[in-house]
């Protein structure tokens, strides 16, 4: 069991390092997270120093979402402009400082508050007929850094961890508990990665700041790359099976 756990930790470290390597190759897109996270953490977090510019905040959040595929033609956001985010920005601006302290290591005492934020963003933004899980969690990641984004890569990765029977098709307490279990299994590693210079946030001027990615963002990085690797492997296996079947079909004619 210990050997298996060590292999898992090494694998997670490898996924983290692969994310940083991918970021180096595609820096502008990956840094769209940094720019969004830095803006909201520095302008919205402290009650005494808040500087709320709704238009600027809508534009920054919109650019981040576009970089990460949330404004494709199939999305309702594709048919709107960034003004649609105004109600979300107003909601975020009204939150007190305690919400900005939430990270994966404090999940157990904050489950309901995390779910509250999810519901409020969803109700202010997402039409009833539209999917919400990936979009809302992408916003929560970019603004607060409190949860990973529930995109296809991350949810695929988490299902493979088999931490519970939960399948990550919904965002709820079970999902948060599974992420917390993942954190506890790799706590020392995630804490170390949280202190890695590679997770220092870049500001608009391209300067490395003292602000760091959250621990939930570190898990997002691991899951994003890990899930992508799993999906790519499945794709290759499916293609190999198809080619084998075609070859067998030709030889039996």
């Amino acid at each position: 069991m210990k050997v298996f756990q060590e292999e898992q930790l090494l694998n997670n470290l490898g996924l983290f390092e692969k994310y940083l390597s991918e970021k180096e190759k595609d820096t502008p897109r990956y840094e769209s997270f940094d720019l969004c996270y830095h803006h909201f953490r520095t302008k919205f977090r402290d009650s005494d120093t808040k500087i709320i510019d709704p238009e600027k905040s809508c534009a920054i959040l919109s650019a981040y979402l576009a970089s990460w595929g949330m404004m494709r033609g199939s999305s309702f956001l594709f048919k709107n402009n960034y003004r649609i985010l105004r109600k979300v920005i107003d909601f975020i601006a009204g939150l007190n400082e305690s919400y900005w302290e939430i990270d994966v290591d404090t999940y157990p005492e904050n489950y309901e508050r995390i779910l509250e934020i999810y519901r409020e963003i969803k109700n202010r933004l997402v039409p009833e007929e539209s999917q919400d899980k990936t979009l809302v969690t992408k916003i929560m990641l970019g603004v607060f850094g409190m949860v990973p984004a529930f995109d296809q890569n991350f949810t695929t990765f988490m299902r493979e961890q088999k931490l519970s029977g939960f399948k990550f098709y919904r965002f709820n307490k079970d999902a948060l508990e599974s992420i917390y279990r993942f954190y506890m299994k790799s706590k020392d590693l995630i804490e170390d990665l949280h202190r890695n210079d590679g997770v220092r946030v870049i500001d608009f001027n391209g300067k490395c700041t003292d602000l760091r990615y959250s621990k939930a963002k570190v898990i997002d990085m691991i899951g994003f790359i890990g899930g992508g690797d799993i999906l790519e492997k499945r794709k290759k296996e499916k293609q190999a099976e198809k080619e084998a079947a075609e070859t067998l079909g030709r030889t039996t004619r």
Side-chain angles (χ1 to χ4, degrees):
M1 179 63 72
K2 184 177 180 181
V3 172
F4 177 70
Q5 290 176 339
E6 289 177 351
E7 289 177 352
Q8 282 190 316
L9 291 176
L10 287 173
N11 182 59
N12 291 338
L13 174 60
L15 296 173
F16 173 84
E17 291 175 342
K18 185 176 179 181
Y19 183 99
L20 294 183
S21 176
E22 292 293 323
K23 184 178 178 181
E24 284 187 13
K25 291 185 287 186
D26 196 8
T27 298
R29 175 175 177 246
Y30 277 70
E31 283 186 356
S32 66
F33 167 82
D34 294 54
L35 298 177
C36 182
Y37 188 62
H38 183 266
H39 171 75
F40 285 98
R41 298 290 291 193
T42 58
K43 304 300 183 185
F44 282 62
R45 180 177 179 175
D46 297 325
S47 299
D48 296 335
T49 59
K50 282 186 179 182
I51 304 175
I52 308 301
D53 182 338
E55 182 176 1
K56 182 178 181 180
S57 298
C58 285
I60 290 172
L61 181 56
S62 176
Y64 156 70
L65 293 174
S67 291
W68 288 99
M70 294 294 99
M71 294 190 175
R72 295 190 182 101
S74 59
S75 167
F76 71 92
L77 291 177
F78 180 77
K79 299 178 181 179
N80 287 278
N81 57 52
Y82 62 65
R83 192 187 299 125
I84 194 175
L85 297 168
R86 176 62 188 267
K87 291 181 180 180
V88 174
I89 298 300
D90 290 344
F91 165 68
I92 294 168
L95 295 174
N96 63 48
E97 294 174 29
S98 64
Y99 283 86
W100 300 88
E101 303 301 322
I102 299 172
D103 203 346
V104 65
D105 55 330
T106 65
Y107 274 9
E109 58 263 39
N110 285 299
Y111 286 137
E112 186 49 45
R113 297 214 297 174
I114 298 169
L115 295 174
E116 171 200 354
I117 290 175
Y118 183 93
R119 289 191 297 267
E120 293 294 340
I121 293 176
K122 175 184 174 181
N123 291 339
R124 284 167 168 75
L125 178 62
V126 184
E128 288 186 6
E129 68 277 8
S130 298
Q131 296 294 317
D132 56 86
K133 176 166 55 68
T134 303
L135 173 60
V136 177
T137 53
K138 194 77 75 173
I139 292 172
M140 294 170 71
L141 175 66
V143 171
F144 303 100
M146 64 171 59
V147 296
F150 279 40
D151 54 25
Q152 185 181 24
N153 283 19
F154 180 76
T155 54
T156 297
F157 177 78
M158 289 303 295
R159 282 193 285 272
E160 287 293 308
Q161 305 311 299
K162 296 180 172 59
L163 296 168
S164 67
F166 185 69
K167 298 300 183 182
F168 277 82
Y169 297 122
R170 299 174 60 196
F171 184 87
N172 55 24
K173 184 179 177 182
D174 289 335
L176 296 173
E177 287 178 339
S178 293
I179 297 169
Y180 181 70
R181 289 192 194 102
F182 180 85
Y183 164 74
M184 292 302 295
K185 284 184 67 175
S186 306
K187 181 178 179 179
D188 291 343
L189 175 64
I190 292 170
E191 293 288 343
D192 284 344
L193 299 180
H194 173 63
R195 292 187 287 269
N196 187 293
D197 281 345
V199 301
R200 290 176 64 185
V201 177
I202 305 300
D203 66 14
F204 181 74
N205 296 314
K207 302 295 185 182
C208 200
T209 70
D210 291 332
L211 182 63
R212 293 179 177 276
Y213 289 1
S214 66
K215 296 159 194 173
K217 171 60 176 173
V218 170
I219 294 174
D220 175 83
M221 294 162 68
I222 292 170
F224 177 75
I225 297 297
D229 288 350
I230 293 167
L231 291 170
E232 182 63 24
K233 180 181 178 182
R234 290 177 182 173
K235 181 179 178 181
K236 290 180 178 178
E237 289 174 346
K238 188 174 182 179
Q239 181 62 29
E241 290 174 359
K242 179 181 178 182
E243 292 174 357
E246 290 173 351
T247 300
L248 180 62
R250 287 194 295 268
T251 58
T252 55
R253 288 174 188 165

